Amino acid sequence: MKFTKTLIAASLAFVSADTFAAAFQLSEQNASGLGRAYAGEASIADDASVVSRNPALMTLFKDKQLSVAAIGVIPDVSLEGESAPTGIDESSLDDDSIAPSAVVPAAYFTMPYNDKVSLGFGAFSNFGLSTEFNDDYAAGQIAGETEIFTVNLNASVAYKVSEQFSFGIGLNYIYADATIIRNVGANPGIPFSTNVVDLEGDDTGYGLNVGLMYQLDENSRFGFNYRTETDITFEGTYSSTARGIAERSGSVDVTLPAIAEFSGSHQLDEKLGLHYSVLWTGWSSFDKLEAEVGLPPEQSFEKTEDFSDSFRYSIGTDYQLNESLLLRAGVAFDESPVSKNHLSISIPDTDRFWFSFGGNYTIDKNSNVDLGVSIIRGKTQNFKETDDSGSEWGFESKGHAVLLGAQYNYKF
Protein backbone atom coordinates (compact mmCIF):
# COMPACT_ATOMS: atom_id res chain seq x y z
CA MET A 1 0.00 0.00 0.00
CA LYS A 2 1.51 3.32 -1.04
CA PHE A 3 1.49 6.64 0.71
CA THR A 4 -1.19 8.82 -0.85
CA LYS A 5 -1.12 12.45 -1.88
CA THR A 6 -2.86 13.21 1.39
CA LEU A 7 -0.02 11.71 3.41
CA ILE A 8 2.66 13.71 1.73
CA ALA A 9 0.74 16.95 1.70
CA ALA A 10 0.53 16.29 5.41
CA SER A 11 4.05 15.05 5.78
CA LEU A 12 5.55 18.18 4.79
CA ALA A 13 3.35 20.30 6.42
CA PHE A 14 6.70 21.00 7.97
CA VAL A 15 6.21 24.65 7.08
CA SER A 16 4.04 26.06 9.81
CA ALA A 17 3.13 29.54 10.90
CA ASP A 18 3.87 28.46 14.47
CA THR A 19 7.61 28.79 13.85
CA PHE A 20 7.35 32.49 12.98
CA ALA A 21 10.47 32.61 10.84
CA ALA A 22 11.00 31.61 7.21
CA ALA A 23 9.28 28.25 6.65
CA PHE A 24 9.94 26.00 9.69
CA GLN A 25 13.13 27.82 10.73
CA LEU A 26 13.48 29.14 14.29
CA SER A 27 15.26 32.37 15.22
CA GLU A 28 14.71 31.99 18.96
CA GLN A 29 18.14 30.85 20.17
CA ASN A 30 18.32 33.45 22.97
CA ALA A 31 16.36 36.19 24.72
CA SER A 32 19.09 38.83 24.56
CA GLY A 33 18.81 39.12 20.77
CA LEU A 34 15.02 38.99 20.85
CA GLY A 35 14.84 42.57 22.10
CA ARG A 36 16.54 43.90 18.95
CA ALA A 37 14.81 41.50 16.49
CA TYR A 38 18.01 39.42 16.38
CA ALA A 39 19.95 42.17 14.62
CA GLY A 40 23.73 41.82 14.90
CA GLU A 41 23.67 38.22 16.14
CA ALA A 42 26.88 37.24 14.30
CA SER A 43 28.83 40.29 15.52
CA ILE A 44 27.59 41.26 18.98
CA ALA A 45 28.95 39.33 21.96
CA ASP A 46 26.34 39.74 24.66
CA ASP A 47 26.66 36.34 26.33
CA ALA A 48 27.40 32.63 25.88
CA SER A 49 24.63 32.24 23.27
CA VAL A 50 27.22 33.28 20.64
CA VAL A 51 27.79 29.50 20.36
CA SER A 52 24.62 29.27 18.27
CA ARG A 53 25.19 32.21 15.89
CA ASN A 54 28.98 32.76 15.67
CA PRO A 55 31.46 30.77 17.79
CA ALA A 56 34.34 33.09 16.78
CA LEU A 57 32.92 35.65 19.24
CA MET A 58 33.83 33.38 22.17
CA THR A 59 37.38 34.78 22.04
CA LEU A 60 36.02 38.12 23.33
CA PHE A 61 35.14 36.61 26.73
CA LYS A 62 37.76 36.61 29.50
CA ASP A 63 35.64 34.58 31.93
CA LYS A 64 33.55 31.44 31.87
CA GLN A 65 30.01 32.26 30.78
CA LEU A 66 26.71 30.44 31.38
CA SER A 67 23.42 31.46 29.73
CA VAL A 68 20.00 29.81 30.12
CA ALA A 69 17.02 31.10 28.11
CA ALA A 70 13.36 30.39 27.38
CA ILE A 71 11.24 32.06 24.68
CA GLY A 72 7.47 31.71 24.75
CA VAL A 73 5.68 31.69 21.38
CA ILE A 74 2.07 32.90 21.55
CA PRO A 75 0.67 32.52 18.02
CA ASP A 76 -2.48 33.97 16.51
CA VAL A 77 -2.94 31.91 13.35
CA SER A 78 -6.44 31.75 11.89
CA LEU A 79 -8.21 30.36 8.83
CA GLU A 80 -11.39 31.49 7.13
CA GLY A 81 -13.13 29.26 4.58
CA GLU A 82 -13.69 30.88 1.18
CA SER A 83 -14.96 27.89 -0.80
CA ALA A 84 -15.80 24.22 -0.16
CA PRO A 85 -17.09 21.16 -2.05
CA THR A 86 -20.83 20.95 -2.74
CA GLY A 87 -22.87 20.27 0.39
CA ILE A 88 -20.30 21.62 2.86
CA ASP A 89 -20.74 25.01 4.50
CA GLU A 90 -17.54 26.99 3.92
CA SER A 91 -17.94 28.52 7.39
CA SER A 92 -17.16 25.05 8.81
CA LEU A 93 -13.58 25.66 7.64
CA ASP A 94 -13.15 28.68 9.94
CA ASP A 95 -10.63 28.14 12.73
CA ASP A 96 -9.24 30.95 14.86
CA SER A 97 -6.41 28.97 16.45
CA ILE A 98 -4.52 26.33 14.44
CA ALA A 99 -1.14 26.82 16.16
CA PRO A 100 -0.68 26.10 19.88
CA SER A 101 1.53 28.14 22.17
CA ALA A 102 5.00 26.76 22.83
CA VAL A 103 8.21 27.40 24.77
CA VAL A 104 11.63 27.25 23.06
CA PRO A 105 14.44 26.65 25.61
CA ALA A 106 18.21 27.06 25.17
CA ALA A 107 21.36 26.74 27.28
CA TYR A 108 25.03 27.64 26.63
CA PHE A 109 28.44 27.52 28.29
CA THR A 110 31.71 29.08 27.13
CA MET A 111 35.20 29.16 28.63
CA PRO A 112 38.64 30.48 27.65
CA TYR A 113 41.12 27.59 27.42
CA ASN A 114 44.07 29.95 27.15
CA ASP A 115 44.69 33.43 25.76
CA LYS A 116 44.13 32.18 22.18
CA VAL A 117 41.63 29.33 22.36
CA SER A 118 38.06 29.30 23.68
CA LEU A 119 35.59 26.41 24.01
CA GLY A 120 31.80 26.40 23.99
CA PHE A 121 28.81 24.12 24.26
CA GLY A 122 25.15 24.74 23.49
CA ALA A 123 21.72 23.11 23.39
CA PHE A 124 19.14 24.92 21.25
CA SER A 125 16.89 24.51 18.20
CA ASN A 126 17.03 25.89 14.66
CA PHE A 127 13.87 24.23 13.31
CA GLY A 128 10.44 23.28 14.63
CA LEU A 129 6.67 23.63 14.25
CA SER A 130 3.28 22.62 15.59
CA THR A 131 -0.23 22.89 14.12
CA GLU A 132 -3.42 21.29 15.44
CA PHE A 133 -6.98 20.94 14.08
CA ASN A 134 -9.98 19.36 15.78
CA ASP A 135 -10.81 15.74 14.87
CA ASP A 136 -14.12 16.91 13.36
CA TYR A 137 -12.58 19.55 11.08
CA ALA A 138 -14.38 19.29 7.72
CA ALA A 139 -11.20 19.33 5.61
CA GLY A 140 -9.63 16.67 7.82
CA GLN A 141 -7.63 15.01 5.04
CA ILE A 142 -5.51 18.15 4.59
CA ALA A 143 -5.52 19.17 8.27
CA GLY A 144 -5.00 17.32 11.58
CA GLU A 145 -1.94 17.40 13.82
CA THR A 146 1.57 18.18 12.60
CA GLU A 147 4.58 18.50 14.85
CA ILE A 148 8.31 18.57 14.28
CA PHE A 149 10.72 18.89 17.19
CA THR A 150 14.48 19.35 16.84
CA VAL A 151 17.34 19.67 19.33
CA ASN A 152 20.78 20.89 18.26
CA LEU A 153 23.69 19.94 20.53
CA ASN A 154 26.78 21.95 19.63
CA ALA A 155 30.45 21.79 20.62
CA SER A 156 32.59 24.69 19.38
CA VAL A 157 36.16 25.90 19.47
CA ALA A 158 37.44 29.38 18.57
CA TYR A 159 40.96 30.65 17.89
CA LYS A 160 42.15 34.23 18.27
CA VAL A 161 44.51 34.86 15.34
CA SER A 162 45.15 38.50 16.30
CA GLU A 163 43.54 41.30 18.29
CA GLN A 164 41.42 42.03 15.20
CA PHE A 165 40.57 38.58 13.83
CA SER A 166 39.18 35.32 15.23
CA PHE A 167 37.58 32.25 13.73
CA GLY A 168 35.54 29.40 15.18
CA ILE A 169 34.12 26.05 14.17
CA GLY A 170 31.31 24.00 15.66
CA LEU A 171 30.05 20.43 15.35
CA ASN A 172 26.27 20.05 15.49
CA TYR A 173 24.46 16.87 16.51
CA ILE A 174 20.77 17.19 15.60
CA TYR A 175 17.91 15.05 16.86
CA ALA A 176 14.58 15.44 15.05
CA ASP A 177 11.17 13.93 15.80
CA ALA A 178 7.98 14.26 13.72
CA THR A 179 4.30 13.36 14.14
CA ILE A 180 1.68 13.69 11.38
CA ILE A 181 -1.97 12.72 11.93
CA ARG A 182 -4.76 13.27 9.38
CA ASN A 183 -8.44 12.42 9.88
CA VAL A 184 -11.10 11.44 7.38
CA GLY A 185 -12.89 14.81 7.39
CA ALA A 186 -16.28 15.38 5.76
CA ASN A 187 -16.96 11.89 4.40
CA PRO A 188 -20.58 10.71 4.92
CA GLY A 189 -20.98 7.61 7.10
CA ILE A 190 -17.37 7.63 8.37
CA PRO A 191 -16.59 8.94 11.90
CA PHE A 192 -14.57 12.17 11.88
CA SER A 193 -12.00 10.65 14.25
CA THR A 194 -11.06 7.89 11.77
CA ASN A 195 -7.50 8.62 10.74
CA VAL A 196 -6.29 8.56 7.18
CA VAL A 197 -2.67 8.98 8.23
CA ASP A 198 -0.83 8.35 11.48
CA LEU A 199 2.90 8.75 10.93
CA GLU A 200 5.55 9.04 13.62
CA GLY A 201 9.32 8.99 13.14
CA ASP A 202 12.66 10.36 14.25
CA ASP A 203 16.29 10.57 13.13
CA THR A 204 19.64 12.15 13.95
CA GLY A 205 22.12 14.00 11.78
CA TYR A 206 25.34 15.99 11.88
CA GLY A 207 26.45 19.35 10.53
CA LEU A 208 29.17 21.97 10.84
CA ASN A 209 29.16 25.71 11.36
CA VAL A 210 32.06 28.10 10.79
CA GLY A 211 32.28 31.63 12.18
CA LEU A 212 34.53 34.63 11.53
CA MET A 213 34.95 37.85 13.51
CA TYR A 214 36.81 41.01 12.49
CA GLN A 215 37.31 43.95 14.88
CA LEU A 216 37.69 47.01 12.65
CA ASP A 217 38.42 49.28 15.62
CA GLU A 218 37.35 49.56 19.25
CA ASN A 219 33.86 50.69 18.18
CA SER A 220 33.11 48.54 15.10
CA ARG A 221 32.96 44.78 14.63
CA PHE A 222 31.81 42.49 11.80
CA GLY A 223 30.86 38.84 11.95
CA PHE A 224 29.96 35.99 9.61
CA ASN A 225 28.64 32.50 10.30
CA TYR A 226 27.82 29.61 7.96
CA ARG A 227 25.90 26.48 8.93
CA THR A 228 25.86 23.45 6.63
CA GLU A 229 22.68 21.66 5.55
CA THR A 230 21.73 18.38 7.24
CA ASP A 231 19.88 15.43 5.76
CA ILE A 232 17.22 13.91 8.02
CA THR A 233 15.25 10.70 7.31
CA PHE A 234 12.24 10.44 9.59
CA GLU A 235 12.01 6.68 10.11
CA GLY A 236 9.15 5.26 12.14
CA THR A 237 5.66 3.85 11.80
CA TYR A 238 2.71 4.46 9.47
CA SER A 239 -0.90 3.32 9.89
CA SER A 240 -4.35 4.21 8.57
CA THR A 241 -7.60 3.01 10.13
CA ALA A 242 -9.52 4.51 7.19
CA ARG A 243 -7.69 2.20 4.80
CA GLY A 244 -7.44 -0.77 7.16
CA ILE A 245 -3.64 -0.55 7.28
CA ALA A 246 -2.04 -1.80 10.46
CA GLU A 247 1.22 -0.35 11.66
CA ARG A 248 3.99 -0.54 9.06
CA SER A 249 7.41 1.00 8.64
CA GLY A 250 7.55 4.35 6.85
CA SER A 251 10.00 7.16 6.19
CA VAL A 252 10.16 10.68 4.78
CA ASP A 253 13.37 12.46 3.73
CA VAL A 254 13.93 16.11 4.63
CA THR A 255 16.95 18.40 4.15
CA LEU A 256 17.44 21.01 6.85
CA PRO A 257 18.86 23.92 4.83
CA ALA A 258 22.19 25.70 5.07
CA ILE A 259 22.20 29.09 6.82
CA ALA A 260 24.60 32.05 6.47
CA GLU A 261 24.57 35.32 8.39
CA PHE A 262 26.54 38.56 8.05
CA SER A 263 26.32 41.12 10.86
CA GLY A 264 27.78 44.44 11.91
CA SER A 265 27.87 46.16 15.31
CA HIS A 266 28.92 49.75 15.92
CA GLN A 267 29.20 51.68 19.17
CA LEU A 268 28.16 55.18 18.08
CA ASP A 269 28.99 56.79 21.42
CA GLU A 270 29.44 55.66 25.02
CA LYS A 271 25.74 54.84 25.34
CA LEU A 272 24.28 54.11 21.90
CA GLY A 273 24.95 51.03 19.75
CA LEU A 274 23.74 50.09 16.24
CA HIS A 275 23.46 46.49 14.97
CA TYR A 276 22.30 44.88 11.73
CA SER A 277 22.15 41.47 10.06
CA VAL A 278 21.43 39.83 6.73
CA LEU A 279 20.59 36.15 7.12
CA TRP A 280 20.35 33.80 4.12
CA THR A 281 18.71 30.38 4.24
CA GLY A 282 19.31 27.90 1.41
CA TRP A 283 15.73 26.66 1.08
CA SER A 284 16.31 25.78 -2.59
CA SER A 285 17.74 22.48 -1.32
CA PHE A 286 14.17 21.64 -0.28
CA ASP A 287 12.98 20.99 -3.82
CA LYS A 288 10.90 17.83 -3.41
CA LEU A 289 9.57 15.28 -0.94
CA GLU A 290 10.10 11.56 -1.23
CA ALA A 291 8.39 8.97 0.93
CA GLU A 292 8.82 5.22 1.32
CA VAL A 293 6.73 2.60 3.11
CA GLY A 294 7.00 -1.10 3.91
CA LEU A 295 9.77 -3.66 3.74
CA PRO A 296 11.48 -3.75 1.35
CA PRO A 297 11.12 0.04 1.10
CA GLU A 298 9.05 1.19 -1.86
CA GLN A 299 9.10 4.77 -3.13
CA SER A 300 5.49 5.74 -2.82
CA PHE A 301 5.42 9.44 -3.49
CA GLU A 302 7.44 12.30 -4.93
CA LYS A 303 6.08 15.81 -4.54
CA THR A 304 7.64 18.99 -5.89
CA GLU A 305 8.02 21.73 -3.30
CA ASP A 306 10.34 24.06 -5.23
CA PHE A 307 11.24 26.33 -2.31
CA SER A 308 13.37 29.40 -3.01
CA ASP A 309 16.31 30.71 -1.00
CA SER A 310 15.17 33.42 1.40
CA PHE A 311 16.63 36.40 3.27
CA ARG A 312 15.96 37.95 6.65
CA TYR A 313 16.94 41.61 7.20
CA SER A 314 17.15 43.17 10.65
CA ILE A 315 18.37 46.35 12.27
CA GLY A 316 18.43 47.16 15.96
CA THR A 317 19.86 49.41 18.61
CA ASP A 318 20.73 49.41 22.28
CA TYR A 319 21.05 52.27 24.75
CA GLN A 320 22.86 52.20 28.12
CA LEU A 321 20.36 54.07 30.25
CA ASN A 322 22.41 53.76 33.44
CA GLU A 323 24.97 51.43 35.01
CA SER A 324 22.40 48.68 35.54
CA LEU A 325 19.99 48.94 32.62
CA LEU A 326 20.58 48.49 28.87
CA LEU A 327 17.55 49.08 26.61
CA ARG A 328 17.08 47.41 23.20
CA ALA A 329 14.82 47.81 20.16
CA GLY A 330 14.77 46.45 16.61
CA VAL A 331 12.80 45.66 13.46
CA ALA A 332 13.13 42.85 10.90
CA PHE A 333 11.66 41.61 7.64
CA ASP A 334 11.49 37.84 7.16
CA GLU A 335 10.96 36.52 3.62
CA SER A 336 8.99 33.34 3.00
CA PRO A 337 10.56 30.73 0.66
CA VAL A 338 7.17 29.18 -0.16
CA SER A 339 5.48 30.06 -3.45
CA LYS A 340 1.72 30.66 -3.48
CA ASN A 341 1.31 27.50 -5.57
CA HIS A 342 2.52 25.36 -2.66
CA LEU A 343 0.63 26.93 0.23
CA SER A 344 -1.67 24.72 2.30
CA ILE A 345 -3.54 25.01 5.57
CA SER A 346 -0.65 23.14 7.17
CA ILE A 347 1.80 25.39 5.30
CA PRO A 348 0.36 28.91 5.75
CA ASP A 349 3.78 30.52 5.45
CA THR A 350 4.09 34.22 4.64
CA ASP A 351 6.45 37.21 4.76
CA ARG A 352 6.63 38.63 8.27
CA PHE A 353 7.56 41.90 9.97
CA TRP A 354 9.10 41.94 13.46
CA PHE A 355 8.81 44.82 15.95
CA SER A 356 10.92 44.17 19.04
CA PHE A 357 12.04 45.72 22.30
CA GLY A 358 13.72 44.55 25.50
CA GLY A 359 16.58 45.11 27.88
CA ASN A 360 19.32 43.75 30.11
CA TYR A 361 19.49 44.33 33.85
CA THR A 362 22.74 43.85 35.78
CA ILE A 363 22.13 42.14 39.12
CA ASP A 364 25.75 42.17 40.32
CA LYS A 365 29.24 41.92 38.84
CA ASN A 366 28.73 38.25 37.91
CA SER A 367 25.08 37.98 36.86
CA ASN A 368 22.48 39.71 34.71
CA VAL A 369 19.11 39.01 33.13
CA ASP A 370 17.62 39.71 29.69
CA LEU A 371 13.98 40.26 28.80
CA GLY A 372 12.66 40.63 25.26
CA VAL A 373 9.37 40.99 23.39
CA SER A 374 8.68 40.71 19.66
CA ILE A 375 5.39 41.44 17.93
CA ILE A 376 5.23 39.62 14.58
CA ARG A 377 2.78 40.53 11.84
CA GLY A 378 2.28 38.29 8.81
CA LYS A 379 0.60 39.04 5.51
CA THR A 380 -2.89 37.72 4.71
CA GLN A 381 -2.80 34.82 2.25
CA ASN A 382 -5.58 33.53 -0.05
CA PHE A 383 -5.14 30.12 -1.63
CA LYS A 384 -6.85 26.86 -2.66
CA GLU A 385 -5.95 23.28 -1.82
CA THR A 386 -7.08 19.98 -3.34
CA ASP A 387 -7.44 16.81 -1.25
CA ASP A 388 -6.84 13.18 -2.27
CA SER A 389 -10.36 12.79 -3.68
CA GLY A 390 -9.99 15.84 -5.95
CA SER A 391 -12.19 18.12 -3.82
CA GLU A 392 -11.07 21.75 -3.77
CA TRP A 393 -11.04 23.90 -0.62
CA GLY A 394 -10.43 27.66 -0.49
CA PHE A 395 -8.96 29.56 2.45
CA GLU A 396 -7.81 32.91 3.76
CA SER A 397 -5.04 32.61 6.36
CA LYS A 398 -3.65 35.16 8.81
CA GLY A 399 -0.57 34.58 10.92
CA HIS A 400 0.62 36.82 13.75
CA ALA A 401 2.43 36.15 17.02
CA VAL A 402 3.93 37.57 20.20
CA LEU A 403 7.27 36.25 21.48
CA LEU A 404 8.25 36.69 25.14
CA GLY A 405 11.78 35.80 26.22
CA ALA A 406 13.77 35.67 29.45
CA GLN A 407 17.41 34.75 30.00
CA TYR A 408 19.82 34.46 32.93
CA ASN A 409 23.56 34.99 32.41
CA TYR A 410 26.35 34.20 34.88
CA LYS A 411 30.11 34.63 34.56
CA PHE A 412 32.71 33.10 36.84
Side-chain angles (χ1 to χ4, degrees):
M1 182 71 172
K2 296 183 177 181
F3 277 113
T4 65
K5 181 179 179 181
T6 301
L7 169 60
I8 302 305
S11 304
L12 276 254
F14 286 152
V15 188
S16 161
D18 189 27
T19 61
F20 289 97
F24 54 97
Q25 185 176 357
L26 293 173
S27 296
E28 297 85 357
Q29 283 86 45
N30 59 44
S32 50
L34 181 65
R36 57 176 183 272
Y38 294 107
E41 285 294 282
S43 58
I44 193 169
D46 283 331
D47 48 62
S49 65
V50 296
V51 170
S52 66
R53 300 294 277 261
N54 186 356
L57 297 171
M58 294 190 299
T59 60
L60 298 173
F61 300 141
K62 305 303 180 184
D63 305 296
K64 297 176 183 177
Q65 303 265 343
L66 174 68
S67 295
V68 180
I71 297 90
V73 182
I74 306 172
D76 178 16
V77 184
S78 62
L79 287 174
E80 183 176 329
E82 294 193 318
S83 63
T86 303
I88 298 176
D89 185 352
E90 62 189 41
S91 66
S92 66
L93 303 179
D94 296 352
D95 195 323
D96 60 3
S97 182
I98 69 170
S101 298
V103 175
V104 182
Y108 308 92
F109 174 74
T110 64
M111 59 176 289
Y113 179 75
N114 55 35
D115 60 350
K116 292 286 189 179
V117 178
S118 296
L119 305 175
F121 306 90
F124 52 95
S125 181
N126 284 308
F127 302 95
L129 73 84
S130 180
T131 54
E132 293 180 1
F133 290 81
N134 293 330
D135 288 350
D136 61 355
Y137 190 71
Q141 290 193 37
I142 55 175
E145 178 184 347
T146 305
E147 184 175 24
I148 180 171
F149 167 79
T150 68
V151 176
N152 188 319
L153 301 179
N154 175 284
S156 295
V157 60
Y159 182 74
K160 185 177 182 179
V161 179
S162 67
E163 291 301 319
Q164 288 75 39
F165 179 70
S166 296
F167 70 86
I169 186 169
L171 174 64
N172 299 283
Y173 171 82
I174 301 164
Y175 170 78
D177 181 272
T179 299
I180 299 110
I181 298 173
R182 293 295 179 269
N183 297 312
V184 72
N187 274 305
I190 303 177
F192 280 112
S193 59
T194 302
N195 69 60
V196 178
V197 173
D198 190 330
L199 176 67
E200 297 183 28
D202 61 4
D203 192 22
T204 59
Y206 292 89
L208 293 174
N209 64 296
V210 179
L212 305 173
M213 184 274 290
Y214 181 71
Q215 189 81 39
L216 182 63
D217 55 42
E218 62 180 5
N219 294 317
S220 295
R221 183 187 308 131
F222 299 99
F224 175 80
N225 188 65
Y226 178 80
R227 180 177 299 273
T228 62
E229 64 182 39
T230 302
D231 292 326
I232 296 289
T233 299
F234 290 101
E235 295 182 336
T237 60
Y238 163 68
S239 63
S240 173
T241 56
R243 299 185 175 93
I245 302 173
E247 189 173 284
R248 304 181 66 184
S249 62
S251 65
V252 177
D253 294 330
V254 181
T255 296
L256 302 180
I259 303 170
E261 181 174 14
F262 171 78
S263 299
S265 293
H266 308 278
Q267 195 64 36
L268 303 182
D269 58 34
E270 61 181 12
K271 291 190 174 184
L272 184 64
L274 176 67
H275 315 280
Y276 48 87
S277 286
V278 177
L279 187 146
W280 167 89
T281 304
W283 283 114
S284 58
S285 64
F286 190 51
D287 58 348
K288 64 181 179 179
L289 300 174
E290 294 180 329
E292 295 181 334
V293 66
L295 291 173
E298 177 183 350
Q299 182 173 321
S300 57
F301 193 87
E302 182 177 306
K303 180 176 184 292
T304 300
E305 291 295 337
D306 198 24
F307 276 23
S308 300
D309 295 347
S310 66
F311 285 89
R312 184 181 192 275
Y313 308 92
S314 56
I315 185 168
T317 185
D318 49 39
Y319 183 78
Q320 192 72 50
L321 185 65
N322 53 47
E323 290 185 358
S324 300
L325 184 59
L326 176 72
L327 302 178
R328 300 184 176 111
V331 296
F333 174 68
D334 210 351
E335 286 184 342
S336 169
V338 186
S339 73
K340 192 167 184 177
N341 293 333
H342 295 102
L343 288 171
S344 79
I345 56 175
S346 291
I347 311 179
D349 200 46
T350 181
D351 296 340
R352 298 181 179 93
F353 292 91
W354 293 53
F355 306 94
S356 306
F357 58 93
N360 174 274
Y361 180 75
T362 300
I363 300 172
D364 55 42
K365 65 178 182 179
N366 294 321
S367 60
N368 60 80
V369 294
D370 294 287
L371 296 175
V373 178
S374 285
I375 299 170
I376 303 175
R377 305 293 294 178
K379 295 180 179 178
T380 298
Q381 296 275 34
N382 298 89
F383 58 94
K384 292 184 178 180
E385 187 170 2
T386 303
D387 67 20
D388 196 35
S389 66
S391 298
E392 187 175 79
W393 311 79
F395 302 92
E396 178 180 275
S397 67
K398 297 179 181 179
H400 312 304
V402 174
L403 307 183
L404 303 172
Q407 180 173 317
Y408 175 75
N409 309 294
Y410 185 77
K411 63 180 181 179
F412 51 98

